Amino acid sequence: MTLRKYLHQQITIGSWPDGRLTGLNKLLICMILAAVLVGVVSTEPVILNEWRSEILIAEILFGAFFLIEYLARIYSAPEEEGLGSPWGKRWRFIRSPIGLIDLAVVLVSLAPFFIANAAALRLLRLMRVFSLAKLGHFSAAMREILTALKERSYDLLVCAALALSLLLVGASGLYWLEGDLQPDHFGSIPRALWWAVITLTTVGYGDAYPITAAGKVVGSFVALGGVLLVALPTGIFAAAFSDAMQRRREAVARALAEIENG
C-alpha cells in the first residue's frame, strides 16, 4: 500500500467498509472541537488577558495542524473514486464546498498572526466556529440525512407555503383592524409581518401586540396555527432522520456480511 492510499484511508470517512472512525479521524474531531472551544472562550476579555500566551500557543498549534491536514487531503485526493487525472482530482477537492471550508479554517486559524487590528482579531476568533463544519468529513450519516430531507422536499415546501399563508393572513388582518390605532406596529402589512412572525413562532417579545378584541382573535388564531405548523416540519425531520439511520445500519450490515462471505 502506498503512502498516499494509506493516508487517504486514515483521513477519509467511508474508506472502511463498516464506516468506522480511524484513530486519526478521532484526533481530528478532538482538535476541531478544541479549536472551537478556544475560539469561543478567547472572546471573553478576562480569560484572554489571563491566558493570552497559552491561547496564542494553542492558535499556532491549531493553525499548523489544520494546514497539515489540508495539505494531506490535497495530496491524497487522487485516491478518490472516479475518473480524472490526479491533479484534476486535487483541483476538484480544492473547489468543493468541504475543500473551501477547510481552506477557510486554515486561513482563519493563521490570520491572527498577520493582522494587528484588535477588532479584526476578535472577529476572526469568532469565525473559528467554521471548524465545526469540518466535522462533515467524519459523518457519512449526514449525507444520508440530507438525502432523506431532499426526498421530503415537497412536504417541507407545503409546510413553508402554509406558514407563509398564515403569516400574510395574520399580518393583513392586523393591518386592517389596527393599522390606524397602532401605525408604528401595524401601519402596513410589512410592519405587521414582524408581529406575525413572532406570534407564529410563539416567541412573543411583547413589543407589538393587538389591543382590540378582533385583533386579539386574529392573534389567537395565528398563535394556535403556529403551534400546529411547528409540529409538522418537526415530524418530517424526525421521519427523515429515522429513515437515514435505518439505511445507514443496513449499509453497514451489508458491508460486514460481504466481508465475512468474501
Side-chain angles (χ1 to χ4, degrees):
M1 181 181 298
T2 64
L3 173 62
R4 190 170 63 193
K5 185 174 183 62
Y6 176 78
L7 187 60
H8 181 267
Q9 287 185 342
Q10 291 297 312
I11 64 177
T12 305
I13 189 67
S15 298
W16 299 91
D18 57 359
R20 69 180 184 271
L21 295 176
T22 64
L24 184 55
N25 289 157
K26 296 176 181 178
L27 174 61
L28 289 171
I29 291 175
C30 291
M31 292 294 287
I32 291 169
L33 295 177
V36 171
L37 178 61
V38 170
V40 170
V41 300
S42 63
T43 60
E44 170 55 48
V46 175
I47 296 178
L48 179 60
N49 292 333
E50 184 175 353
W51 299 88
R52 185 179 299 273
S53 299
E54 289 78 5
I55 290 175
L56 179 61
I57 293 173
E59 288 180 342
I60 294 174
L61 293 176
F62 291 138
F65 185 88
F66 290 138
L67 176 60
I68 293 172
E69 181 215 353
Y70 179 67
L71 296 177
R73 291 189 182 279
I74 294 176
Y75 172 73
S76 63
E79 297 300 325
E80 292 285 349
E81 296 181 0
L83 300 176
S85 65
W87 283 105
K89 292 181 179 180
R90 290 187 174 113
W91 179 236
R92 186 164 62 244
F93 166 75
I94 294 172
R95 293 181 301 166
S96 66
I98 197 66
L100 294 176
I101 290 174
D102 281 354
L103 179 60
V105 170
V106 171
L107 294 178
V108 169
S109 299
L110 297 177
F113 307 109
F114 307 102
I115 299 178
N117 186 277
L121 287 178
R122 286 194 290 270
L123 177 61
L124 287 170
R125 288 193 180 102
L126 185 60
M127 290 174 63
R128 289 282 287 277
V129 296
F130 275 121
S131 300
L132 285 177
K134 289 163 59 64
L135 290 176
H137 282 309
F138 317 115
S139 180
M142 285 300 298
R143 292 193 292 269
E144 298 288 348
I145 294 173
L146 293 176
T147 300
L149 290 178
K150 288 180 181 179
E151 294 173 354
R152 287 169 171 76
S153 59
Y154 178 77
D155 300 337
L156 294 172
L157 181 61
V158 170
C159 291
L162 290 174
L164 180 60
S165 300
L166 184 57
L167 287 174
L168 289 175
V169 169
S172 300
L174 265 294
Y175 165 67
W176 181 61
L177 292 169
E178 301 193 10
D180 295 333
L181 299 175
Q182 300 189 73
D184 291 342
H185 297 313
F186 305 114
S188 67
I189 292 178
R191 292 184 186 182
L193 273 174
W194 166 251
W195 165 85
V197 170
I198 297 305
T199 303
L200 182 69
T201 56
T202 69
V203 174
Y205 285 130
D207 57 338
Y209 53 88
I211 58 176
T212 64
K216 292 178 180 179
V217 171
V218 173
S220 298
F221 279 111
V222 174
L224 291 174
V227 173
L228 297 176
L229 284 176
V230 168
L232 287 176
T234 301
I236 294 172
F237 279 114
F241 184 81
S242 177
D243 292 346
M245 293 300 98
Q246 181 62 31
R247 282 202 297 265
R248 180 63 182 166
R249 286 192 291 268
E250 292 175 354
V252 171
R254 287 196 300 269
L256 294 176
E258 291 176 359
I259 293 175
E260 293 177 356
N261 297 332

